[in-house]
Amino acid sequence: MNYAEMLAKVSTASGFIAALDQSGGSTPKALRGYGVEEDAYTTEEEMFGLIHDMRARIITAPSFSGEKVLGAILFERTMDGEAGGKPVPTALQDRGVVPFLKVDKGLEEEVDGVQMMKPMPDLDALLQRAKAKGVFGTKKRSVINQASPSGIAAIVKQQFDVAEQILAAGLMPIIEPEVNIKSVDRAQSDIILRDEILKALDKVSSDHKVMLKLSIPAEAGTFDALINHPRVLRVVALSGGYARPEACAELAKNKGMIASFSRALLEDLRHQMTAEEFDTALSSAIDEIHAASAT
């Protein structure tokens, strides 16, 4: 797929985006969920090798195709690896799945109720490398823990500033200011975030569009103005700690949002499964998430 074909698919097709981008800090937890305990590896390289094997198994499973999976967000090491004997972005495109790349370097400590993104000094070089490999877009995450107007405004400004850098490189940014679904003032955070994003969207350069990855709102319909905004290509939802049935039920209340789930997609997959068992479990998860995204 070329960029125009990927753009058309992401903007109009039915489906969801798989998040396969667990980074160093979240990898041990992801492996434990997959049935691989920490005594199965002794070095970071071995750990990353095991998580790559899991991702490659998902990407090459018969049920993981562009019929219901629009895209997949990759960790940098996954982008640089292979699946089924092909570079991962190529393997995804060959299955009709649009590749994205996680580009943030993790979170700063909480200040003013939020966690900003750490600096990304090598971002331009990473973007050019990703584009050369056929990657369509990027994802970068911040976290909102409290309904702090100044903190949320700072997060939105940082996210959109970096988005302009990504747009200038010819890639599609997914802006992800995650609202912690366990925060006591979550609904208020959703509203402050929506309003800050609306202001920022009006300043996006040229005729560019961006994507948004948001926590499922506490009140259904809170993000309708974002979903319908002419500068927004697509609004996708993170599962935010919900188990898949609850995540899908909450997502289905928000027409126009589609899933970009990680744990909720992978929660039934186990290292010990046969190929048939693995694909059956993955297919069931894909069907359930697709149905919630299509409402």
Side-chain angles (χ1 to χ4, degrees):
M1 291 185 284
N2 60 34
Y3 187 89
E5 291 168 335
M6 291 189 285
L7 179 66
K9 176 153 196 157
V10 172
S11 62
T12 62
S14 174
F16 68 95
I17 296 175
L20 305 177
D21 60 336
Q22 299 89 352
S23 57
S26 56
T27 295
K29 183 177 180 181
L31 283 171
R32 283 195 301 275
Y34 185 49
V36 178
E37 298 298 332
E38 292 186 40
D39 60 6
Y41 52 89
T42 56
T43 67
E44 188 177 77
E45 286 301 314
E46 289 175 347
M47 177 186 76
F48 282 124
L50 288 167
I51 199 75
H52 181 78
D53 290 345
M54 180 191 80
R55 292 165 178 156
R57 191 179 187 189
I58 292 165
I59 290 165
T60 57
S63 60
F64 195 88
S65 75
E67 181 182 355
K68 295 181 179 178
V69 182
L70 294 182
I73 304 170
L74 307 173
F75 184 48
E76 184 178 345
R77 285 173 176 255
T78 311
M79 177 187 75
D80 292 335
E82 293 191 350
K86 302 175 183 177
V88 168
T90 302
L92 287 170
Q93 288 200 29
D94 286 352
R95 304 190 71 123
V97 178
V98 175
F100 292 81
L101 175 67
K102 167 188 159 70
V103 295
D104 69 80
K105 300 301 181 184
L107 301 170
E108 301 278 18
E109 294 297 318
E110 182 178 328
V111 176
D112 197 14
V114 303
Q115 291 176 271
M116 305 279 281
M117 296 181 291
K118 290 181 177 178
M120 293 170 268
D122 302 322
L123 180 59
D124 283 332
L126 177 59
L127 295 174
Q128 291 308 315
R129 192 157 59 83
K131 189 174 181 181
K133 289 176 177 283
V135 169
F136 169 74
T138 68
K139 189 213 79 165
K140 48 197 173 52
R141 172 177 172 261
S142 318
V143 174
I144 297 164
N145 293 311
Q146 297 176 31
S148 163
S150 56
I152 293 172
I155 268 194
V156 171
K157 182 180 187 307
Q158 184 190 41
Q159 281 279 356
F160 274 81
D161 285 348
V162 178
E164 289 290 350
Q165 189 176 352
I166 291 161
L167 288 166
L171 295 168
M172 173 61 62
I174 298 178
I175 293 167
E176 183 185 7
E178 174 184 348
V179 173
N180 185 339
I181 64 169
K182 296 179 180 178
S183 64
V184 295
D185 49 10
R186 170 185 162 205
Q188 187 180 354
S189 291
D190 289 340
I191 292 169
I192 297 169
L193 177 63
R194 177 199 63 200
D195 293 345
E196 287 295 330
I197 292 175
L198 285 170
K199 288 188 286 186
L201 286 168
D202 290 336
K203 300 174 184 176
V204 173
S205 64
S206 186
D207 58 351
H208 287 132
K209 294 187 177 186
V210 299
M211 294 176 66
L212 302 172
K213 181 169 179 175
L214 306 173
S215 302
I216 301 168
E219 298 293 334
T222 298
F223 296 142
D224 285 356
L226 301 176
I227 293 166
N228 297 320
H229 197 284
R231 290 299 184 95
V232 176
L233 185 71
R234 208 87 192 241
V235 178
V236 304
L238 56 103
S239 52
Y242 286 129
R244 186 169 65 248
E246 190 174 6
C248 288
E250 291 298 313
L251 176 63
K253 297 174 185 176
N254 292 273
K255 184 175 178 59
M257 279 185 102
I258 65 171
S260 178
F261 293 170
S262 176
R263 194 185 77 174
L265 172 65
L266 311 178
E267 63 187 34
D268 293 336
L269 305 180
R270 299 294 180 271
H271 171 69
Q272 298 84 357
M273 287 176 165
T274 65
E276 183 178 358
E277 290 169 338
F278 185 89
D279 191 56
T280 297
L282 180 60
S283 178
S284 178
I286 287 171
D287 288 347
E288 187 175 355
I289 295 168
H290 179 268
S293 298
T295 57

